[in-house]
Amino acid sequence: MSAPAVRTGVWFIGARGSVATTATAGCAAVAAGLHPAAGMVTETPPFADSGLPALTSLVFGGHDTTGCPLPKRAEALAAGGVLPHGLPSAVHAELAAADTGIRPGGPLPGDTRSDEELIAAFAADLTDFTHRNELARTVVINVASTEPLPDPGEQRLPASSLYAAAALRAGCPYVNFTPSTGLRTPALQDTVADCGLPHAGRDGKTGQTLLRSVLAPMFVQRALPVRAWSGTNLLGGGDGAALADPGAAAAKNAGKERVLADTLGTAPEGEVHIDDVPALGDWKTAWDHVAFDGFLGARMVLQTTWQGCDSALAAPLVLDLARLVARAHERGLCGPLPQLGFYFKDPDGGPAALFEQYQELLAFAGTLRGER
């Protein structure tokens, strides 16, 4: 009798959101050969022998505060052009199976549980999911809406930190794909240091900031001084509504601006604005205006426009991170994984330039293969 296949859990915080739904449906579609793995770096040749868990071995679950079933959520995304027409029906069984693994999140208004009680409840959900599905390990990935940074002196942990603490308590590697606090709070400093688990984050780099991380090194390497760099984002959907909160928008913009400051050596003039446009749904337009000096002080301008769907940009990266962090855990790696800075605006260390980050990621593939 053959040994049972090793399976890996992927537990999404925000499991019924656009990113998690797109990732769950997309994984099923790619695994079944219905669509190519566009955007998935882990499906490129350098990672072929890295021992990453197969897409067919991933089991999905998560926490969410909403009750819309995943198949219905996928149908809405298909109606908005995010998912291909007919895909929700083609992967209905996989979506329905994942939906049975979603548990209520929190804290919701009126929830009187303490932080400790919430962490214990979330950790119990994770442990039950891992044991019930006979998983080798479960990777927790935060893809929930951006939360405002906590106020100074706030006694309660933000929701993202409650989920992060629960992941560590349940022995699960953790990834923060959002700008929210997650593990980066003094209250969890000792827990993170002692957990012995791999973790990565923060704030996935998908669109406008991805382009900034490519262009900014170009100006530095060509000795072209940047005088100002301004940007605007127009987006709708859940992200647009969440980022209409000035506190959430400030948390999001901090990562966009950090990439420029780290690469250019100083923060240029200009700001990033985020506007909620509900009519755009899950689609967004990002516009940048770069003013720079050429030879003999010639004033020049570069303008870029990025139009796309954040969910479709983020989903393949989320699947990459689930596989990479799961393999890192299997290999016994622990602590922050700066080699995964390629995926983040605010990574746990590592170079800021995308090309350098990619070289670090390729080297990490060798580490996962057992190369020294």
Side-chain angles (χ1 to χ4, degrees):
M1 180 179 293
S2 61
V6 175
R7 301 201 301 169
T8 298
V10 180
W11 187 270
F12 287 130
I13 309 303
R16 292 189 171 110
S18 297
V19 173
T21 304
T22 303
T24 303
C27 180
V30 173
L34 301 177
H35 288 273
M40 289 192 64
V41 179
T42 53
E43 284 294 293
T44 59
F47 296 86
D49 301 317
S50 296
L52 303 180
L55 293 176
T56 53
S57 76
L58 301 183
V59 180
F60 296 93
H63 281 117
D64 208 304
T65 56
T66 63
C68 179
L70 274 182
K72 288 291 185 185
R73 188 73 182 91
E75 290 173 6
L77 290 174
V82 178
L83 296 180
H85 176 72
L87 183 62
S89 296
V91 298
H92 182 275
E94 290 87 344
L95 290 169
D99 197 66
T100 65
I102 299 176
R103 298 292 176 264
L108 292 170
D111 194 331
T112 60
R113 288 176 293 178
S114 67
D115 285 357
E116 172 55 33
E117 289 172 325
L118 287 163
I119 292 169
F122 296 156
D125 290 338
L126 277 162
T127 301
D128 175 70
F129 174 76
T130 302
H131 291 168
R132 180 164 36 84
N133 291 287
E134 300 180 330
L135 305 173
R137 58 192 48 81
T138 296
V139 178
V140 176
I141 306 181
N142 183 14
V143 289
S145 296
T146 300
E147 65 187 13
L149 295 175
D151 295 328
E154 173 62 53
Q155 296 300 308
R156 298 293 300 266
L157 287 174
S160 65
S161 296
L162 296 174
Y163 290 121
L168 302 189
R169 183 172 299 186
C172 298
Y174 174 81
V175 176
N176 187 3
F177 202 74
T178 80
S180 301
T181 304
L183 293 177
R184 296 193 189 180
T185 172
L188 296 180
Q189 183 175 352
D190 292 340
T191 302
V192 173
D194 298 337
C195 70
L197 294 164
H199 53 88
R202 168 173 72 170
D203 198 2
K205 185 165 53 185
T206 57
Q208 183 183 43
T209 310
L210 175 65
L211 194 58
R212 287 180 165 209
S213 68
V214 174
L215 292 174
M218 176 193 73
F219 289 106
V220 173
Q221 292 163 8
R222 291 295 297 268
L224 298 171
V226 174
R227 293 184 290 108
W229 199 316
S230 300
T232 295
N233 285 264
L234 308 176
L235 70 161
D239 270 355
L243 294 173
D245 181 315
K252 184 73 172 177
N253 286 338
K256 295 176 178 291
E257 294 166 356
R258 185 180 300 107
V259 167
L260 295 182
D262 289 349
T263 307
L264 301 175
T266 184
E269 293 181 7
E271 298 178 348
V272 179
H273 297 276
I274 299 177
D275 294 327
D276 178 25
V277 185
L280 293 179
D282 285 283
W283 295 82
K284 83 169 191 178
T285 296
W287 172 77
D288 272 50
H289 180 100
V290 188
F292 63 99
D293 290 336
F295 191 51
L296 304 179
R299 295 295 181 96
M300 304 187 191
V301 168
L302 171 68
Q303 293 183 343
T304 66
T305 302
W306 179 289
Q307 293 179 311
C309 173
D310 257 0
S311 303
L313 290 167
L317 309 185
V318 167
L319 294 173
D320 278 352
L321 286 163
R323 302 172 80 193
L324 290 163
V325 175
R327 176 59 174 158
H329 185 243
E330 182 182 11
R331 291 274 300 150
L333 302 181
C334 61
L337 298 174
Q339 304 94 329
L340 300 184
F342 175 76
Y343 292 98
F344 298 102
K345 298 183 183 74
D346 183 16
D348 295 315
L354 192 70
F355 177 77
E356 293 170 343
Q357 289 176 330
Y358 181 63
Q359 297 306 311
E360 291 282 341
L361 183 61
L362 294 183
F364 188 56
T367 299
L368 298 181
R369 283 191 292 269
E371 299 172 0
R372 298 293 181 185

